[in-house]
Amino acid sequence: MQFTQGMEYFFSGFKLITQKGLKRFVFIPLLINIVLFGSSLFFLYGWLTEGFAYLTNLLPTWLSWLEWLMWPIAVLVILFSYSMVFTVITNFIAAPFNGLLSEKVELYLTGQKINDDGLADIVKDVPRMLGREWTKLCYYLPRAIGFFILLWILPVIGQVLWVMFTCWMYAVQYKDYAFDNHKIGFREMKQDLKQKQGLSYGFGLAVMLLTAIPIINLIVMPVAVCGATRLWVDNYRPHYRN
């Protein structure tokens, strides 16, 4: 039940990004994602083309058919691995805007402001937001390296573990904006997420699948922020408001 609810929360973000009063806060995160993700894929495609051309020249003629096998494998690895790494980097850059979007979504859903900070206070808060993203990055990188190694050396099990880890990290990444807006520590946030792991894995799986779809992946970031904020409002906010 929690797993499917987690997926539903993500998809609810598609409706939220079109709501009056929220659309203008979606624009900057969306623009950042389009520019960075689009340009990086362009350069990545060029790198892969050159790399495969080099490998093809090394292969004997009778093995040239392997090129057709390597391309789909490489594409699958990129879609599910590179997209996760890139998402972490992009969210680091877009963190202040994603935090603001999450704050406005919560205001839209509850009618209550998180705080009365003005523009100057928000600007002053940017270093703290970036520090939070750095904390997430430090949490992600060593685990990503370990699971990525298992991905290649443990057939089936390694792939399952990688998918589960990716889903978990997507949940951590996007749910954290609402927690951070309320000044809730990263460690406490992780403990809360572990109490309802089904929600996290369902939400993360939906993000992972749509991040792997070209064009649609360009709007996943603001959609995920909105969906994760709704999930926060329904499942975690009441605990901290008591």
Side-chain angles (χ1 to χ4, degrees):
M1 178 65 72
Q2 283 190 359
F3 187 85
T4 56
Q5 286 178 341
M7 298 187 74
E8 290 169 0
Y9 275 115
F10 168 75
F11 287 108
S12 72
F14 281 99
K15 183 177 180 180
L16 285 169
I17 64 172
T18 64
Q19 297 303 306
K20 184 178 180 181
L22 295 179
K23 288 187 286 188
R24 63 180 179 272
F25 297 103
V26 171
F27 176 74
I28 295 180
L30 179 61
L31 181 62
I32 291 174
N33 206 36
I34 290 175
V35 172
L36 294 180
F37 202 85
S39 59
S40 65
L41 283 180
F42 174 79
F43 287 110
L44 183 64
Y45 176 78
W47 177 80
L48 280 175
T49 301
E50 294 178 2
F52 278 119
Y54 176 77
L55 290 175
T56 300
N57 290 333
L58 295 179
L59 292 174
T61 305
W62 64 277
L63 287 178
S64 60
W65 58 271
L66 283 176
E67 181 181 2
W68 297 99
L69 180 62
M70 290 188 295
W71 265 106
I73 294 176
V75 169
L76 287 175
V77 171
I78 289 170
L79 288 178
F80 290 103
S81 302
Y82 166 77
S83 59
M84 179 63 216
V85 176
F86 180 82
T87 297
V88 172
I89 297 173
T90 304
N91 278 279
F92 189 94
I93 298 172
F97 306 105
N98 285 339
L100 181 60
L101 173 59
S102 178
E103 181 178 337
K104 297 305 178 181
V105 171
E106 185 168 341
L107 173 61
Y108 171 82
L109 293 173
T110 66
Q112 298 178 346
K113 288 186 176 181
I114 297 176
N115 52 59
D116 296 318
D117 291 348
L119 180 60
D121 296 307
I122 294 175
V123 172
K124 290 179 182 178
D125 216 25
V126 168
R128 183 191 61 80
M129 295 179 183
L130 294 180
R132 183 71 165 227
E133 290 302 310
W134 177 252
T135 299
K136 283 188 279 190
L137 190 61
C138 291
Y139 174 78
Y140 167 75
L141 284 178
R143 291 166 176 79
I145 293 172
F147 282 110
F148 190 75
I149 293 173
L150 293 177
L151 170 69
W152 294 104
I153 65 177
L154 287 179
V156 182
I157 296 176
Q159 287 76 42
V160 171
L161 290 175
W162 176 257
V163 169
M164 292 180 65
F165 167 70
T166 302
C167 292
W168 172 254
M169 278 310 306
Y170 275 130
V172 169
Q173 178 65 55
Y174 290 111
K175 290 185 185 183
D176 185 57
Y177 292 116
F179 280 91
D180 188 41
N181 282 340
H182 288 267
K183 308 298 189 295
I184 298 169
F186 184 70
R187 180 176 297 179
E188 187 175 357
M189 181 274 298
K190 288 189 299 176
Q191 292 301 319
D192 284 344
L193 264 57
K194 289 178 181 179
Q195 297 302 315
K196 299 181 179 181
Q197 293 188 38
L199 286 175
S200 294
Y201 284 113
F203 181 89
L205 180 62
V207 177
M208 185 187 75
L209 293 176
L210 269 73
T211 300
I213 302 176
I215 306 302
I216 293 179
N217 55 18
L218 299 178
I219 64 170
V220 165
M221 182 168 66
V223 168
V225 173
C226 292
T229 304
R230 180 185 286 276
L231 192 155
W232 148 268
V233 169
D234 291 348
N235 296 273
Y236 302 107
R237 185 176 184 271
H239 170 72
Y240 290 100
R241 298 293 292 183
N242 291 334

